[in-house]
Amino acid sequence: MSAPRILIYLLRRDLRVADNPVFTEISRLYQQSQHTFTHLLPLYVFPAQQVEVSGFLSSDSEQSPYPEARSPVGGFWRCGPHRARFLAESVWDTKKGLEGLQSGLELRVGRVGEVVKNLLEAYQKEDGEIVGVWMTEEEGLEEKQEERSVRSSVQDAGKEFRLWADEKYLVDDRDLPFSRPQELPDVFTSFRKMVEPLRDAPRRVLPKPAKLPPLPTVVPRQPGPFTIPNSLDDTMSALLKPLEKGYGLQHPPKWPESAKSAHPFHGGEITAHQRIKHLVTSGSMSSYKDSRNGLLGEDFSTKLSAWLALGCVSARQIHEYLLDFEDGKTELGKGVQGYGKGENKGSSGVRFELLWRDYMRLCTRKFGPRLFRVEGFKNDTSTSWKYPGRDPEAKYALQRFLEGRTGAGLIDASMRELYLTGYTSNRARQNVASYLAKHLGVDWRNGAEWYESLLADYDVSNNWGNWQYVAGVGNDPRGEARVFNPVKQAFDYDPNGDYVRNWVVEVRELNDLQAVFQAWTLDEESRHDSGLDGLDWVEMPLKRIHFQLGRGGGRGRGSGRGRGGEKGRAGGGNGYRVRGRGDHNRGQGWMGKMDKARAAGENL
């Protein structure tokens, strides 16, 4: 009997079986009478530079050969507890899905290139031959380094290496109206017009493969000092164990009584499709345009970004669900307003945001390492950033910002929600980014790294590109001129104060919305009566933003020197332009309005 010929498929952020061109091609080739491989080894590696892997050590006496997976600027864990859980669930869901096709998923920890090299060497001693390694191309510095490392190891061994295009996005790379990254327009609107109409842009979804090759009968074990868990629960425990050291916050947020997460979801391909079906049948897809700026609840936005980031679902799969609903092709959504009546404002808005994810990823391809530099895509050296690593006041301001104790209600509610749940809304993300970068003047990369650590839906291109956008160093045409007033924004998007009260429990009993959104405006007697005496964020807010609600949404005036703040920076209530009460966008179509509203952290 001849030795098994093994093809390795190295998965990263393509954790789905359906609409996966790699599995489709493997299935097609395997069903031919002659094929170069007899067995398939799907492989997922928890990458040691991005995910802390010391929890996988075989015993407490062992020491990890890798440095802690911490961010370079702020020193935060690169993958915090919320994303670690969602990632583990997604990996194990893929494993289960492949087992349903008589295949499976082998798990490893380490550096991706090293893991592949070790497998190549191990199979030289086993009954089996690796004939090739396939993987999907991704953008990002570390991702490109992984691809180069794997390519080198595989080609040095004389085996086939194949790098597949990443097809989880809305518009296929093969259909872009340009071939070189440098041809990507620096303004999103220009790019959008190049690929419209969006309803006709995506390619068709690929079906789930009917059959895959079996796993090899012998699979080398994970090299020491690590051990791979045999269950999802044990995998999550291994990922979470080192994170118990915490984040070094002096006053970490605590879960408020009766508060509910807007993102109580689990990772994986199955749950992704369940979520999409719910959005269609509940009418949330159709109402997306009107609800997308919400702050509380599960359905004001699609919440699909975490699944998109890991490739549990592709953008074109979402698009196909929308097409079926708009054309009335299936029973899903029958009876819901808009069923069978073509594209509506909501479904158009969802496609628009999917295209924004495409654009941010292409910006990463175009600008490369500039994604992570303080000067940004624009190579802007004119801004005098405050660096917490060498500025004590900036360090103090950053600490309070991370803890949700700035004194700005909307910002504090968002930061506490993020820390506790791994989620915060798009509207809140815009305000948070603007507050750190433009109101406090602190190096925006600290915020981007904090989001990387805590967001369940972290995506390298969207996170870093969107932080640049609001910080004024990215591809926002308005740049430094776009400033969000978090007090006016709170009045506009949290008109009853429900969101701020939900997460900032100290202000729940206050009736005055101005005080809910800025407790420092209370007089001394009211502070005492409300139990707010002695709270630094009440008595010494980082930034005092004077704002009075008036006709037409009011006017604001930015001023004051909170500790860590900067007098006069950020210009107050009319230094930005967004959709909402008091912000007029007349004479524009829906897409034009969406372009105007584009800002940091879009999370669908």
Side-chain angles (χ1 to χ4, degrees), residues 71-140:
S71 62
V73 177
F76 313 130
W77 292 115
R78 295 204 50 197
C79 179
H82 309 296
R83 184 155 57 93
R85 290 189 185 94
F86 203 90
L87 172 61
E89 291 166 346
S90 299
V91 168
W92 275 85
D93 180 78
T94 305
K95 180 178 174 69
K96 184 177 179 180
L98 289 171
E99 288 170 350
L101 295 172
Q102 287 71 56
S103 182
L105 182 64
E106 188 70 15
L107 306 184
R108 290 287 189 272
V109 298
R111 298 278 173 84
V112 172
E114 294 175 2
V115 169
V116 171
K117 184 177 181 180
N118 289 339
L119 282 171
L120 287 164
E121 293 173 350
Y123 268 110
Q124 292 178 357
K125 306 172 186 176
E126 300 285 355
D127 182 25
E129 175 193 3
I130 294 177
V131 297
V133 177
W134 293 359
M135 64 190 300
T136 300
E137 182 180 20
E138 292 182 12
E139 306 303 330

Side-chain angles (χ1 to χ4, degrees), residues 13-28:
R13 294 177 187 87
D14 42 357
L15 296 174
R16 65 188 182 282
V17 179
D19 197 31
N20 186 322
V22 182
F23 281 130
T24 298
E25 179 66 1
I26 290 171
S27 178
R28 185 188 72 82

Side-chain angles (χ1 to χ4, degrees), residues 350-553:
V350 171
R351 290 190 178 96
F352 179 97
E353 300 302 348
L354 291 171
L355 186 69
W356 178 261
R357 297 180 70 88
D358 284 22
Y359 181 65
M360 284 288 97
R361 170 238 188 178
L362 294 172
C363 284
T364 299
R365 181 181 295 175
K366 177 177 181 176
F367 294 107
R370 284 157 67 179
L371 181 68
F372 306 102
R373 293 175 184 166
V374 70
E375 301 87 1
F377 296 156
K378 290 183 177 178
N379 198 28
D380 179 6
T381 59
S382 63
T383 304
S384 298
W385 297 104
K386 299 173 184 176
Y387 298 99
R390 52 180 184 257
D391 181 339
E393 283 205 4
K395 181 178 181 180
Y396 172 80
L398 178 64
Q399 182 81 2
R400 280 181 49 181
F401 169 80
L402 301 179
E403 294 172 346
R405 295 188 306 112
T406 68
L410 180 60
I411 304 305
D412 292 343
S414 177
M415 294 303 287
R416 296 183 192 192
E417 179 188 28
L418 171 66
Y419 183 86
L420 294 168
T421 72
Y423 176 83
T424 192
S425 71
N426 174 58
R427 178 56 51 180
R429 295 184 200 199
Q430 297 174 54
N431 279 273
V432 164
S434 179
Y435 186 85
L436 181 68
K438 292 181 175 175
H439 286 276
L440 300 184
V442 172
D443 177 0
W444 61 270
R445 295 174 299 171
N446 290 277
E449 288 185 351
W450 189 249
Y451 271 26
E452 174 180 354
S453 179
L454 289 177
L455 282 174
D457 64 12
Y458 170 76
D459 171 90
V460 60
S461 298
N462 278 273
N463 182 68
W464 285 85
N466 282 315
W467 268 90
Q468 284 200 22
Y469 191 95
V470 172
V473 298
N475 50 11
D476 178 6
R478 298 196 60 200
E480 185 69 16
R482 188 187 300 274
V483 182
F484 288 83
N485 181 323
V487 186
K488 180 183 185 301
Q489 292 272 298
F491 276 107
D492 284 349
Y493 298 102
D494 191 21
N496 298 314
D498 295 336
Y499 174 70
V500 173
R501 288 190 179 100
N502 189 65
W503 296 106
V504 185
V505 294
E506 299 92 331
V507 302
R508 280 187 176 180
E509 301 305 316
L510 298 180
N511 294 319
D512 181 5
L513 275 183
Q514 181 74 10
V516 171
F517 299 147
Q518 290 204 111
W520 64 267
T521 59
L522 289 170
D523 58 36
E524 187 174 344
E525 182 180 354
S526 298
R527 291 181 195 175
H528 177 75
D529 293 344
S530 304
L532 299 177
D533 281 343
L535 296 177
D536 54 3
W537 56 271
V538 177
E539 298 181 354
M540 294 187 301
L542 294 180
K543 186 79 175 181
R544 296 177 186 267
I545 301 174
H546 294 280
F547 177 84
Q548 293 83 37
L549 187 66
R551 287 181 298 177

Side-chain angles (χ1 to χ4, degrees), residues 297-342:
E298 296 179 18
D299 291 347
F300 64 81
S301 65
T302 70
K303 310 292 194 304
L304 292 173
S305 49
W307 289 290
L308 284 164
L310 293 177
C312 300
V313 68
S314 67
R316 64 189 183 193
Q317 285 177 306
I318 299 171
H319 166 75
E320 186 163 275
Y321 275 104
L322 294 177
L323 280 180
D324 289 346
F325 173 78
E326 292 164 343
D327 296 340
K329 287 184 177 179
T330 69
E331 293 295 307
L332 189 69
K334 189 174 184 179
V336 174
Q337 185 175 5
Y339 175 82
K341 296 182 179 179

